[in-house]
Each structure stands twice: as C-alpha cells, then as structure tokens.
C-alpha cells in the first residue's frame, strides 16, 4: 500500500497528484473525484496568484468535474489527518509546517491532539457522509477496536463453576444441604465447603472472533504505515482467520444473538463495531474504500487548544474570577464574561437580538485584562514587504470592538493593563513577537493596538496534551 504526505492548503496539479498517488491519470481522477465528494479536497482555478496563496477562500472554490489531463485547476486539501482512498494513504499535515515535506513526528503529535480533542464525542464514526453518498469509515473502526483492546482487553465471557473447598465465595445453602455435617458440642462442622468460582471461557466464540479481528486490524494498519503514526503497538493474538468462524451471515447471526443477551455497554459497542466490520467486508486496499481520520476544521481545534492552555475565563462565573477589586453592584456573580457584551437593539421591535460579539478567549491575570484571538493563519510578515495571508479587516475591527465592549467592566474593577493579541501557529521553536496591527481611527479612541504572537505549535500541543497552562509572561505582551 502506498503511503504519502500532503500539506493542507497547498496547491497541487493533477500531475502532482499522479506522482503522489503513483497511478495513471485515469486512476488519479477517480480518486480525486471520490475525495472531492466528501469535501476534503477542493478545486481552484490555476493561476500564479493561487499558487502563492496559503489559505483557501470560499469564493475561489470551483464546482467542476475532474477530467483526465486537464491543467485548468489546482487541487487543495482542506483536511488535517489521514485519508485512505482506494489503497492510497494520504497523511495530511497542517499548513504551517513549511520546511519538512514528511513531518512524521509533527503529524504524530497532531494526531494525539485530535484524539484528545475528539474524546468528548464518545462515538465511533463508522460512516463518512456527503451530500451524495455515504461510505464505511474503516480506519475509524480499526482504530477504535485496537484502542478499546489496549484499554479494556479482549472481549470475554465468564461462567460460574462450583468447587469443593475452593478459594471463591462459600455457598452456604448448598454446603448445608448437600454435604456431610459433623456435630460436636451441638455445633455443626463442615468438612467440605461448596464454593463458587468465576472463570473466563478461553474458547468462547466471541473472544476468539475478537482476537481474530484485532490481529487483522493490526496487520491492515501496519501495511498502511499507520501503526507508528497513531503510536499503536501491533498485536498478534491468533492464527485463526474469519473463515474459521463460518460464513459472514452465520457470524452476523451469532453476533445478533449475543447482543440480545449482553447488557454491558462496552461489550455492546464492541459487538456492534465487529458486526459493522463483518457486514461491510472492507479493506483499506479496496478500490471503493474512502476512510477519514481527522478534521477539515483545524482552525476550531487551534482555537480550542489556545483557550485551554491560556486558561480561558470567558465562560467562568464573575463570582469565581479573582478580580483586582471586589465585584461591583450591578453585576451578578453568576454572570459570565460573555454575558456582559451588549446585544443589538432593534428599536421597532423593542427587543434585542440573540447574537452578539463573542471573543475567542479572555484571560485575567492580576490587574491585567487580556483579549486573545486564536488565528489559524500562515501570515508572512517581513519588514518593508506588504503582509500576506493575514487576518481580514473584520477580524481586526472585531478585536478592537471586544475591548470597547468590556471598557466599562474594566474601568469598574480597577484593571490597570489591557492587552489585545492574535495567536498564530508556527513550526519554529520559540514564541515570536511579530509587531502589532493598528488602525489609527480606533487607536485614537484609547483602544490598545493588537499584538501579534507566533506560538510554537509543538510546545502548545505539549501543554495541551499534558493538561498544563502556558506561561502568559512568555508572550512578552
């Protein structure tokens, strides 16, 4: 199986993808069509401007069919993670990694971040859905089965057996009624105690089936060169094959019967996942296979991570925040910082709209009020050269407005320092201070200009995975 790296948001020609996928133009076009259908690959008009862009704008996306040999379009992956399409593995790494075309260690860390970020979902995404069709997400099933195995072990059924003088629980009713009793000084003595012992059936059908599928899953991921990427230790639990368990219909029938007798949530989930695996009869090498692990909204992941490591106070009750001065009358201790932002009033209705400005994160440290905005951009900022790939004017004006929205709260509670800051990822190893963004007409209102900080993504992820907070002082605001 062919396994290659591709970069998110990079522009690829059809010829580039032929070389990456190592197949003919006809086969490449089939794969491009399949990936495009699920929204993780977009087409844009081929131009020098597009080749130099680091982000994809909605208005640039072309809705067009893919034809063999055409050079009218460039193709853009809008995905971070792993795509498996018809026997080809595409490892999509984030767009800010510019200097390494095979960033195995970096993507491995990103995969761990995505796994932690997605743990709150508590579901197995067995199918990929598009507007036109749905495909079995085999990679998600294989990863779940192996992850569950390392956490909970092999599926097992137990049975209770009765022993004489065993080490288990004594069955007094059975001992009294079925064994010989000695009486001494009017007291009964029992020479044989009936005891209950719970044992695991090593030859249980479903235990063996689970071991077989785990072994097969491990082999598939190894062939796809994904075991190391997901940091999974290979397992080899049995030499049995699925044919040893009967026809597929028989296996599914047995699983259905077992599901009707199992009330353990974990066992039910394993059985249902095994059922789907058998029913779909899939392989990562199949020509109709399309499996995904990752996200096409890595900007939301970046925002969530920054909010976590910067100790976001946006949704904290005011009564629980350590303010420079005691909470003033007129403020409710159960209010949150997000509740303080004014909502627009439509005068003819006499009612306010529900939606308003919402900052990404706010951090309060002593007498400092810091408004952060996590921006997932590849910005080029060099002295004497016009900025490229920067956040738009709406992002800049909103950041100023956030400070204006909290102006009264800041003054009421004795904050002596207010900071505004964009946080952007970089592959470099240190925090980089990259100046400020300013607009004179807003700065003249007494609002702070917006500082720009490039954060080393590797260290940000280390903090997130370890559950640590980042030292605000390292940003040198």
């Amino acid at each position: 199986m062919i396994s290659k790296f591709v970069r998110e948001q990079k522009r690829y020609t059809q010829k580039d993808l032929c070389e990456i996928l190592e197949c003919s133009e006809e086969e490449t076009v089939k794969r491009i069509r399949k990936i495009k259908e699920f929204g993780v690959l977009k087409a844009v008009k081929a131009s020098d401007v597009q080749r130099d862009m680091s982000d994809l704008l909605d208005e640039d996306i072309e809705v067009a069919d893919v034809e063999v040999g055409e050079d009218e379009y460039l193709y853009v992956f809008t995905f971070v993670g792993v795509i498996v399409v018809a026997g080809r593995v595409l490892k999509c790494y984030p767009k800010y990694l510019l200097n390494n075309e095979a960033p195995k260690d970096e993507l491995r860390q990103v995969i761990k971040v995505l796994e932690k970020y997605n743990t709150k979902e508590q579901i197995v995404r067995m199918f990929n859905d598009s507007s036109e069709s749905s495909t079995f997400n085999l990679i998600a099933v294989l990863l779940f089965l192996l992850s569950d195995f390392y956490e909970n072990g092999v599926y097992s059924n137990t049975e209770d057996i009765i022993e004489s003088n065993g080490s288990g629980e004594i069955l007094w009713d059975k001992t009294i009624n079925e064994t010989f009793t000695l009486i001494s000084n009017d007291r009964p003595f029992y020479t044989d105690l009936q005891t209950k012992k719970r044992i695991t059936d090593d030859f249980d059908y479903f235990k063996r089936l689970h071991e077989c599928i785990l072994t097969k899953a491990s082999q598939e991921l190894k062939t796809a060169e994904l075991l190391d990427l997901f940091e999974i230790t290979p397992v080899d639990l049995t030499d049995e094959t699925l044919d040893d368990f009967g026809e597929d219909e028989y296996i599914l029938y047995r699983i259905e019967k077992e599901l009707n007798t199992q009330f353990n949530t974990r066992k039910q989930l394993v059985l249902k996942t095994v059922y789907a695996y058998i029913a779909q009869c899939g392989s990562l090498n199949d020509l109709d296979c399309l499996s995904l692990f990752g996200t096409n909204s890595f900007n939301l992941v970046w925002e969530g991570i920054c909010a976590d490591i910067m100790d976001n106070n946006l949704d904290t009750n005011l009564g629980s925040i350590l303010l420079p001065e005691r909470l003033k009358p007129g403020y409710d201790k159960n209010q949150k910082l997000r509740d303080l932002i004014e909502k627009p009033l439509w005068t003819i209705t006499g009612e306010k709209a529900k939606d308003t400005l919402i900052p990404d994160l706010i951090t309060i440290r002593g007498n400092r009020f810091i408004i952060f905005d996590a921006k997932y951009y590849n910005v080029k900022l060099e002295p004497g050269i016009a900025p490229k790939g920067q956040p738009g004017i709406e992002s800049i004006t909103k950041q100023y407005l956030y400070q204006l929205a909290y102006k009264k709260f800041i003054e009421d509670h004795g904050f002596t320092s207010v900071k505004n800051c964009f946080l952007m990822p970089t592959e470099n190893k240190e925090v980089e201070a990259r100046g400020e963004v300013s607009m004179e007409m807003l700065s003249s209102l007494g609002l702070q200009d917006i500082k720009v900080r490039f954060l080393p993504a590797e260290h940000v992820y280390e903090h997130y995975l370890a559950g640590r907070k980042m030292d605000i002082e390292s940003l040198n605001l």
Side-chain angles (χ1 to χ4, degrees):
M1 190 177 292
I2 293 167
S3 184
K4 295 292 185 66
F5 286 91
V6 292
R7 183 161 67 86
E8 177 200 20
Q9 298 285 357
K10 182 177 178 179
R11 274 53 173 170
Y12 292 94
T13 63
Q14 191 178 114
K15 183 179 178 181
D16 291 335
L17 294 179
C18 284
E19 294 175 358
I20 290 169
L21 297 170
E22 295 186 19
C23 56
S24 66
E25 289 185 344
E26 291 78 6
E27 291 299 317
T28 297
V29 165
K30 289 179 185 178
R31 289 173 169 86
I32 291 174
R33 286 173 178 163
K34 197 168 191 67
I35 303 173
K36 276 189 67 187
E37 182 182 331
F38 288 86
V40 295
L41 183 70
K42 311 286 187 184
V44 297
K45 284 279 189 182
S47 68
D48 291 338
V49 172
Q50 277 293 335
R51 285 185 176 87
D52 203 33
M53 289 184 70
S54 60
D55 286 294
L56 181 65
L57 304 177
D58 288 342
E59 56 265 30
D60 292 336
I61 298 172
E62 296 285 332
V63 180
D65 196 13
V66 187
E67 300 297 337
V68 174
E70 56 85 13
D71 56 7
E72 185 180 353
Y73 299 106
L74 299 171
Y75 298 98
V76 186
F77 289 94
T78 57
F79 188 79
V80 173
V82 175
I83 303 171
V84 182
V85 54
R88 301 296 190 270
V89 180
L90 298 174
K91 295 171 281 193
C92 308
Y93 57 91
K95 63 185 180 183
Y96 58 82
L97 296 171
L98 303 172
N99 297 315
N100 186 351
E101 294 185 352
K104 187 175 181 179
D105 292 338
E106 291 87 346
L107 185 56
R108 185 188 297 118
Q109 187 186 42
V110 169
I111 292 291
K112 290 168 71 174
V113 166
L114 291 174
E115 288 175 333
K116 178 174 179 177
Y117 186 81
N118 292 326
T119 50
K120 53 181 177 284
E121 293 188 1
Q122 296 295 318
I123 57 175
V124 184
R125 295 196 173 276
M126 292 188 188
F127 292 90
N128 303 304
D129 295 313
S130 75
S131 57
E132 300 177 20
S133 63
S134 176
T135 63
F136 183 58
N137 195 0
L138 180 58
I139 193 170
V141 168
L142 299 180
L143 291 171
F144 166 77
L145 288 170
L146 286 166
S147 153
D148 171 80
F149 164 70
Y150 280 112
E151 185 175 347
N152 300 301
V154 174
Y155 185 98
S156 63
N157 280 322
T158 59
E159 62 176 325
D160 294 332
I161 62 170
I162 297 173
E163 299 178 305
S164 291
N165 300 316
S167 59
E169 174 191 354
I170 299 173
L171 301 174
W172 284 110
D173 286 346
K174 198 169 186 65
T175 298
I176 292 169
N177 294 325
E178 298 181 13
T179 64
F180 183 73
T181 308
L182 295 177
I183 305 295
S184 176
N185 295 327
D186 294 328
R187 294 180 62 189
F189 292 88
Y190 299 95
T191 56
D192 289 305
L193 298 175
Q194 297 297 296
T195 59
K196 181 173 73 174
K197 182 179 181 181
R198 180 162 293 176
I199 63 170
T200 300
D201 182 1
D202 289 333
F203 298 98
D204 177 73
Y205 181 88
F206 301 100
K207 177 179 183 292
R208 291 168 42 235
L209 178 63
H210 192 206
E211 290 175 337
C212 172
I213 290 176
L214 287 169
T215 302
K216 194 164 184 266
S218 178
Q219 291 168 348
E220 284 226 56
L221 291 176
K222 181 179 180 180
T223 303
E225 299 181 17
L226 293 177
L227 282 178
D228 186 44
L229 189 63
F230 286 91
E231 294 190 327
I232 297 174
T233 304
V235 297
D236 187 3
L237 303 174
T238 180
D239 293 327
E240 289 186 284
T241 65
L242 284 178
D243 292 337
D244 297 326
F245 296 88
E247 299 289 335
D248 287 353
E249 292 77 11
Y250 174 72
I251 298 174
L252 297 177
Y253 166 74
R254 290 289 302 268
I255 295 174
E256 287 173 2
K257 285 191 66 177
E258 179 75 359
L259 272 168
N260 290 332
T261 64
Q262 282 294 352
F263 301 99
N264 178 285
T265 303
R266 181 257 170 172
K267 285 188 175 183
Q268 285 185 335
L269 187 54
V270 170
L271 287 170
K272 288 176 182 177
T273 309
V274 169
Y275 186 98
Y277 179 83
I278 302 292
Q280 296 295 326
C281 301
S283 165
L284 295 177
N285 223 15
D286 288 348
L287 292 179
D288 60 349
C289 169
L290 182 107
S291 288
L292 304 171
F293 177 92
T295 179
N296 54 4
S297 302
F298 198 75
N299 59 308
L300 299 181
V301 178
W302 177 249
E303 289 173 13
I305 291 171
C306 288
D308 185 89
I309 68 168
M310 295 297 176
D311 201 12
N312 186 16
N313 295 129
L314 189 63
D315 290 309
T316 306
N317 290 341
L318 297 182
S320 302
I321 300 175
L322 189 60
L323 301 171
E325 296 179 8
R326 185 178 303 214
L327 193 65
K328 294 294 188 291
Y331 295 94
D332 185 342
K333 67 178 181 180
N334 294 317
Q335 275 185 303
K336 297 177 171 57
L337 280 172
R338 69 165 63 241
D339 300 329
L340 301 180
I341 298 181
E342 182 182 357
K343 296 178 180 177
L345 171 66
W346 294 82
T347 56
I348 197 167
T349 68
E351 298 291 334
K352 291 185 176 182
K354 292 182 179 179
D355 295 330
T356 187
L357 296 165
I358 302 177
D360 279 357
L361 59 138
I362 292 175
T363 301
I364 292 176
R365 286 287 183 275
N367 63 358
R368 289 180 297 171
F369 192 95
I370 310 170
I371 307 167
F372 287 117
D373 196 5
K375 289 295 183 187
Y376 185 59
Y377 283 79
N378 268 1
V379 187
K380 294 182 180 178
L381 300 174
E382 300 297 337
I385 301 175
K388 294 178 65 175
Q390 75 276 16
I393 186 66
E394 71 284 349
S395 296
I396 296 167
T397 53
K398 278 198 298 184
Q399 200 66 14
Y400 275 111
L401 287 175
Y402 295 147
Q403 183 183 345
L404 195 59
Y406 285 109
K407 188 171 186 293
K408 184 176 185 304
F409 178 81
I410 290 168
E411 291 173 349
D412 285 347
H413 294 92
F415 288 96
T416 58
S417 174
V418 181
K419 299 296 181 184
N420 240 328
C421 185
F422 284 148
L423 302 175
M424 303 181 193
T426 177
E427 62 186 328
N428 297 331
K429 302 300 182 183
E430 303 291 337
V431 174
E432 297 176 42
R434 304 306 294 264
E436 299 177 347
V437 184
S438 64
M439 294 187 69
E440 180 59 32
M441 63 179 175
L442 295 172
S443 301
S444 63
L445 298 177
L447 302 177
Q448 293 292 315
D449 292 334
I450 306 159
K451 297 184 181 298
V452 179
R453 295 294 180 268
F454 287 3
L455 303 187
E458 179 184 349
H459 297 321
V460 168
Y461 300 152
E462 285 173 358
H463 280 73
Y464 177 68
L465 293 170
R468 299 194 308 265
K469 304 304 177 187
M470 191 165 183
D471 181 12
I472 302 294
E473 304 303 326
S474 67
L475 303 180
N476 192 25
L477 298 176

